[in-house]
Amino acid sequence: LSTSLRTSVAVRGDLGRKDVVLERLALDVDRLLQARLRASARGFGKRGFEASLKLAPLSLARLLRKLPRPIRRKLPLTRLAGRVGLDVEVRGRPPAPGTPPLSLPIHLDAKLRLRGLAATLGGRGAAKGASLRGGELTLEAKGKPATMRLSSKLVIAGARVPAQGLRVGRVELPLAVRLSPRGVNARFDLTVARLRQHASGIALDNEGLRIGGKASARLPLARLVAGKRLRIGRTKVDVDVGLRRARAGLPGLRARSEKLALGFGLDHDPRRRATPSVVTFRGSLGEVVEERLRARAIGLAFGLRAALSRGLQVSLPLVLRPDELAGDSAMSFTAKRLRYPGVLPKDLRGVALK
């Protein structure tokens, strides 16, 4: 293993004012890693500091080739491509002794980017030959500790697992989290263009899958970070699942469906003493058909609202346990049309249950 290293440094300062500026610290490793650091400190850091680090896009393929052969042989990868880069900026001043983590006087702006990721697994077993292409990942963190904004976005152009007969179309997953001294807010939205599997007598073909959600919770982050007992305030969670079209072929079954939508909601507010927690489930299905039995259901809808008199009991590891249904609860089911030859004497229309 041979490696070349080149560095350069430029520094200036004002000893009278105790200011120091690192204008440039350049590090080049074997035409593989290129890092640039700039920094400044006022009053030798007591009055404040700033720093920035930039990592030029690093070739994963070249990095893999630089590894010693014994290590490469142990890796399950037969192919790896892509580039990863990093930008970090931080400014602030040294904290006083005993400063809580969320009160640290610093501001962070960091971004990691991965582009053009492609990989293929070797080895043995169910994952042999699994591959993905067109992978992209962005991770960002910005703000002060108590008001940090975190975000990420994952994109995969396609993936395959030949041993399982699995093919996955374009995948996108953005995620955003925002912190504040009084709580946290989060949002995500997963989409999968197409998911197909053909193996061992199973044939599945799903198009237009989407899973999205948002959540918010009022809670004192400082007590949470410190490991102290805390009381969670109002918490809301909403998750929606949608599937535009699906087909399934199993032994004894051949079915298809369109326009599936499912939803889950939680609204917990300890100020509502009678019913602090309300849980909702909802679902709809445009059409589902079992082709062999010629059974069909059109326009299905389901709804459930459960008000809980004692709320949800929450513990870590995460366990949710509903306690005691209250009187303010309801369920509904409707169907525009139901057909099941041999079971139902005729088609049912306008079915409703509440």
Side-chain angles (χ1 to χ4, degrees), residues 60-61 64 77-83 114-121 130-136 155-158:
L60 298 180
L64 183 64
L77 294 169
T78 61
R79 182 173 68 102
L80 179 65
R83 292 179 175 272
L114 175 61
R115 296 290 183 267
L117 177 64
T120 302
L121 296 179
S131 64
L132 67 85
R133 57 183 176 81
E136 297 184 5
V155 176
I156 299 175

Coordinates of all heavy atoms in Angstrom, one line a residue, residues 60-61 64 77-83 114-121 130-136 155-158:
L60 N -15.8 6.6 -4.4 CA -15.9 5.4 -3.7 C -15.2 4.3 -4.4 O -14.6 3.4 -3.8 CB -17.4 5.1 -3.4 CG -18.2 6.1 -2.6 CD1 -19.6 5.6 -2.4 CD2 -17.5 6.3 -1.2
A61 N -15.3 4.3 -5.7 CA -14.6 3.2 -6.5 C -13.1 3.3 -6.3 O -12.4 2.2 -6.1 CB -15.0 3.3 -8.0
L64 N -12.2 2.1 -2.8 CA -12.3 0.6 -2.7 C -11.0 0.0 -3.3 O -10.4 -1.0 -2.7 CB -13.5 0.1 -3.4 CG -13.7 -1.4 -3.4 CD1 -14.0 -1.9 -2.0 CD2 -14.9 -1.8 -4.3
L77 N -18.9 -6.7 -1.6 CA -19.1 -5.9 -2.8 C -18.3 -6.4 -4.0 O -17.1 -6.7 -3.9 CB -18.7 -4.5 -2.5 CG -19.6 -3.7 -1.5 CD1 -18.9 -2.4 -1.1 CD2 -21.0 -3.5 -2.0
T78 N -19.0 -6.6 -5.1 CA -18.3 -6.8 -6.4 C -18.2 -5.6 -7.2 O -17.4 -5.5 -8.2 CB -19.0 -7.9 -7.2 OG1 -20.3 -7.5 -7.5 CG2 -19.0 -9.2 -6.4
R79 N -19.0 -4.6 -6.9 CA -18.9 -3.3 -7.6 C -19.4 -2.2 -6.7 O -20.3 -2.3 -5.9 CB -19.9 -3.3 -8.8 CG -19.8 -2.1 -9.7 CD -20.6 -2.3 -11.0 NE -22.1 -2.4 -10.7 CZ -23.0 -1.4 -10.9 NH1 -22.6 -0.3 -11.3 NH2 -24.2 -1.7 -10.6
L80 N -18.7 -1.0 -6.8 CA -19.1 0.1 -6.0 C -18.7 1.4 -6.7 O -17.6 1.5 -7.2 CB -18.4 0.1 -4.6 CG -18.7 1.3 -3.7 CD1 -20.1 1.3 -3.3 CD2 -17.8 1.3 -2.5
A81 N -19.6 2.3 -6.9 CA -19.4 3.6 -7.6 C -20.2 4.7 -6.8 O -21.1 4.4 -6.1 CB -19.8 3.5 -9.0
G82 N -19.7 5.9 -7.1 CA -20.4 7.0 -6.5 C -19.3 8.0 -5.9 O -18.2 7.6 -5.7
R83 N -19.8 9.1 -5.5 CA -19.0 10.2 -4.9 C -19.6 10.7 -3.7 O -20.8 11.0 -3.7 CB -18.6 11.3 -5.9 CG -17.7 10.8 -7.0 CD -17.4 11.9 -8.0 NE -16.4 11.5 -9.0 CZ -15.1 11.6 -8.9 NH1 -14.6 12.1 -7.8 NH2 -14.3 11.2 -9.8
L114 N -24.1 12.4 -1.3 CA -23.7 11.2 -2.0 C -24.4 11.2 -3.3 O -25.6 11.2 -3.4 CB -24.1 10.0 -1.1 CG -23.8 8.6 -1.7 CD1 -22.3 8.4 -2.0 CD2 -24.3 7.5 -0.8
R115 N -23.6 11.0 -4.4 CA -24.2 11.1 -5.7 C -23.7 9.9 -6.5 O -22.6 9.4 -6.4 CB -23.8 12.4 -6.4 CG -24.3 13.7 -5.8 CD -25.8 13.7 -6.0 NE -26.4 15.0 -5.4 CZ -26.9 15.1 -4.2 NH1 -26.9 14.0 -3.4 NH2 -27.4 16.2 -3.8
G116 N -24.6 9.4 -7.4 CA -24.2 8.4 -8.4 C -23.8 7.1 -7.8 O -23.0 6.3 -8.3
L117 N -24.5 6.7 -6.6 CA -24.2 5.5 -6.0 C -24.7 4.3 -6.8 O -25.8 4.2 -7.2 CB -24.8 5.5 -4.6 CG -24.6 4.2 -3.8 CD1 -23.2 3.9 -3.5 CD2 -25.4 4.2 -2.5
A118 N -23.8 3.3 -7.0 CA -24.2 2.1 -7.6 C -23.4 1.0 -6.9 O -22.2 1.1 -6.6 CB -23.9 2.1 -9.1
A119 N -24.0 -0.1 -6.6 CA -23.3 -1.2 -5.9 C -24.0 -2.6 -6.3 O -25.2 -2.6 -6.6 CB -23.4 -1.0 -4.4
T120 N -23.1 -3.6 -6.2 CA -23.6 -5.0 -6.4 C -22.9 -5.8 -5.4 O -21.7 -5.7 -5.1 CB -23.2 -5.5 -7.8 OG1 -23.7 -4.6 -8.8 CG2 -23.7 -6.9 -8.1
L121 N -23.8 -6.7 -4.8 CA -23.3 -7.6 -3.7 C -22.9 -8.9 -4.3 O -23.5 -9.5 -5.2 CB -24.3 -7.8 -2.7 CG -24.8 -6.6 -1.8 CD1 -25.8 -7.0 -0.8 CD2 -23.6 -6.0 -1.1
A130 N -27.6 -8.9 -5.4 CA -28.4 -7.7 -5.2 C -27.7 -6.5 -5.6 O -26.5 -6.3 -5.4 CB -28.8 -7.6 -3.7
S131 N -28.4 -5.5 -6.2 CA -27.7 -4.3 -6.8 C -28.7 -3.2 -6.7 O -29.9 -3.3 -6.6 CB -27.3 -4.6 -8.2 OG -28.5 -4.8 -9.0
L132 N -28.1 -2.0 -6.7 CA -28.9 -0.7 -6.8 C -28.1 0.2 -7.7 O -26.9 0.1 -7.8 CB -29.1 -0.1 -5.4 CG -28.0 0.4 -4.6 CD1 -27.6 1.9 -4.9 CD2 -28.3 0.4 -3.1
R133 N -28.8 1.1 -8.3 CA -28.2 2.1 -9.2 C -28.9 3.5 -9.0 O -30.0 3.6 -8.4 CB -28.4 1.7 -10.6 CG -29.9 1.5 -11.0 CD -30.0 1.0 -12.5 NE -31.4 0.7 -12.8 CZ -32.3 1.6 -13.1 NH1 -31.9 2.9 -13.2 NH2 -33.6 1.3 -13.4
G134 N -28.1 4.5 -9.4 CA -28.7 5.9 -9.3 C -29.0 6.3 -7.9 O -30.0 7.0 -7.7
G135 N -28.2 5.9 -6.9 CA -28.4 6.3 -5.5 C -27.9 7.7 -5.2 O -26.9 8.1 -5.6
E136 N -28.8 8.4 -4.5 CA -28.4 9.8 -4.1 C -28.9 9.9 -2.6 O -30.0 9.5 -2.3 CB -29.0 10.9 -5.0 CG -28.6 10.8 -6.4 CD -29.2 12.0 -7.2 OE1 -29.9 12.8 -6.6 OE2 -29.0 12.0 -8.4
V155 N -32.7 9.0 -2.7 CA -33.2 8.6 -4.0 C -32.5 7.4 -4.5 O -31.3 7.3 -4.5 CB -33.1 9.8 -5.0 CG1 -33.6 9.4 -6.4 CG2 -33.9 11.0 -4.5
I156 N -33.3 6.4 -5.0 CA -32.7 5.2 -5.7 C -33.4 5.1 -7.0 O -34.6 4.9 -7.0 CB -32.9 4.0 -4.8 CG1 -32.1 4.1 -3.5 CG2 -32.3 2.8 -5.5 CD1 -32.3 3.0 -2.5
A157 N -32.7 5.1 -8.1 CA -33.3 4.9 -9.4 C -33.8 3.5 -9.6 O -34.9 3.4 -10.3 CB -32.3 5.3 -10.5
G158 N -33.2 2.5 -9.0 CA -33.7 1.2 -9.2 C -32.9 0.2 -8.3 O -31.7 0.5 -8.0

